[in-house]
Amino acid sequence: MTGKSIGLQLRRNGFKLTPQRRAIIDVISGSEEHLTPSDIYSRLQHKYPGIGLVTVYRTLELLENSGLLCEVHIGDTCRSYLKRKRPGEHHHHLVCAGCGKVVDFVDCELGDLENRLTSETGFSIDSHLLEFMGRCASCRKLVSK
Amino acid sequence: MTGKSIGLQLRRNGFKLTPQRRAIIDVISGSEEHLTPSDIYSRLQHKYPGIGLVTVYRTLELLENSGLLCEVHIGDTCRSYLKRKRPGEHHHHLVCAGCGKVVDFVDCELGDLENRLTSETGFSIDSHLLEFMGRCASCRKLVSK
DNA sequence: GGCTCAATTGAAAATGATTTTCATTTATAA
DNA sequence: TTATAAATGAAAATCATTTTCAATTGAGCC
Ligand SMILES: [Zn+2]
Ligand SMILES: [Zn+2]
Ligand SMILES: [Zn+2]
Ligand SMILES: [Zn+2]
């Protein structure tokens, strides 16, 4: 999903497409890394100065409610976001602890485990959270130098 | 692992076993639910009033560094804790969205997926985060009434 | 049982992240 | 172009967490 199509999707949902929102979408779309609100805020200062941190928070909330963002739970902050490449599609993340780069994967194959847990515990299961943490090839090179 | 043995473990590691720490361990040990720092703080007020929230934070940090606690990432707060039943043993959690009750399971069987991701992406993988979210039997009854 | 001392505690202040408030501006549809 | 509801930004408010520091205390030692 491109930055432009994210903007169009917002409009289709009845929201205004302001320059601030374009800029924020632009920053998120142009990053392979997961970004916190203040990461996004500081990246904005270069290309689009003057946008308030409040607007970043509000836009993130809007994009998230519209299903256009992914969350990453890695590390300590639970508040780090990423463009959702294919909205609606079930997937998970492999995250680099060095640079924050995120790779998606769709085959989690947790169905059997889920069924067994359901019958063993009496819980009904609604969803799951799965993330792998590691180091991407280029971050590994840096360390070994 | 009992509350008492958690206390002993702390002493073995060279820390003092104060009444405040006993009380906090007691609260955590007596709960099947994951608890945030302020959850713990408010539960303390009944049985052991006067313990400061700062002490709760400090004790949680200590217990976590000693590997005696589990973290739950469910929901919005990344800061919710639980007694670690068998320190050192690899396991994951099934969490009730209604009451917060947590059930452990040890068989995650993510090795094959991990190997495939490693070779497909060039990442090295260090760890993973896996949690199932659902509703326990008694919370399901409440809803259906 | 008392003595000593570093570790621990709690109150208050400081910090940091997020949310709310509200007056002003602006994207969009007519 | 105009009207209008939505969106913005600055500042204040709120909430979670950490730091500071003086007073207290657990645990080893006599
Ligand atoms: Zn990397
Ligand atoms: Zn999955
Ligand atoms: Zn429940
Ligand atoms: Zn596992």
Side-chain angles (χ1 to χ4, degrees), chain A residues 95-133:
Chain A
V95 185
C96 177
C99 64
K101 185 178 173 181
V102 178
V103 172
D104 289 8
F105 62 93
V106 297
D107 42 354
C108 68
E109 292 160 10
L110 290 169
D112 286 354
L113 176 53
E114 187 170 317
N115 289 337
R116 198 157 37 71
L117 287 174
T118 296
S119 63
E120 284 175 7
T121 64
F123 274 58
S124 65
I125 294 181
D126 300 322
S127 63
H128 56 254
L129 170 58
L130 173 63
E131 287 178 17
F132 285 93
M133 297 137 238

Side-chain angles (χ1 to χ4, degrees), chain A residues 4 11 17-27 48 59:
Chain A
K4 183 157 280 187
R11 270 235 285 251
L17 189 47
T18 64
Q20 292 89 339
R21 287 178 179 171
R22 277 180 214 277
I24 292 167
I25 290 169
D26 197 34
V27 165
Y48 316 89
T59 302

Side-chain angles (χ1 to χ4, degrees), chain B residues 8-114:
Chain B
L8 291 178
Q9 184 62 46
L10 274 194
R11 270 236 285 252
R12 229 170 288 137
N13 295 351
F15 298 102
K16 290 184 181 173
L17 189 47
T18 64
Q20 292 91 336
R21 288 177 179 170
R22 277 180 215 276
I24 292 167
I25 291 170
D26 197 35
V27 165
I28 296 174
S29 287
S31 172
E32 283 195 295
E33 302 157 37
H34 56 108
L35 302 170
T36 63
S38 56
D39 288 339
I40 295 170
Y41 180 69
S42 37
R43 292 189 183 205
L44 284 170
Q45 299 316 306
H46 307 317
K47 259 176 115 177
Y48 316 89
I51 297 178
L53 182 55
V54 214
T55 301
V56 174
Y57 274 96
R58 286 190 282 225
T59 302
L60 286 172
E61 191 189 10
L62 177 64
L63 292 172
E64 173 149 58
N65 290 340
S66 310
L68 300 168
L69 288 186
C70 294
E71 267 179 49
V72 170
H73 289 255
I74 221 73
D76 18 52
T77 167
C78 266
R79 209 145 184 178
S80 211
Y81 300 93
L82 195 72
K83 177 177 69 164
R84 184 180 288 262
K85 282 167 198 125
R86 295 178 197 76
E89 189 168 319
H90 182 90
H91 72 284
H92 297 285
H93 300 127
L94 167 54
V95 185
C96 176
C99 64
K101 184 178 174 182
V102 177
V103 172
D104 289 7
F105 61 92
V106 297
D107 42 354
C108 66
E109 293 160 10
L110 290 168
D112 287 353
L113 176 52
E114 188 171 316

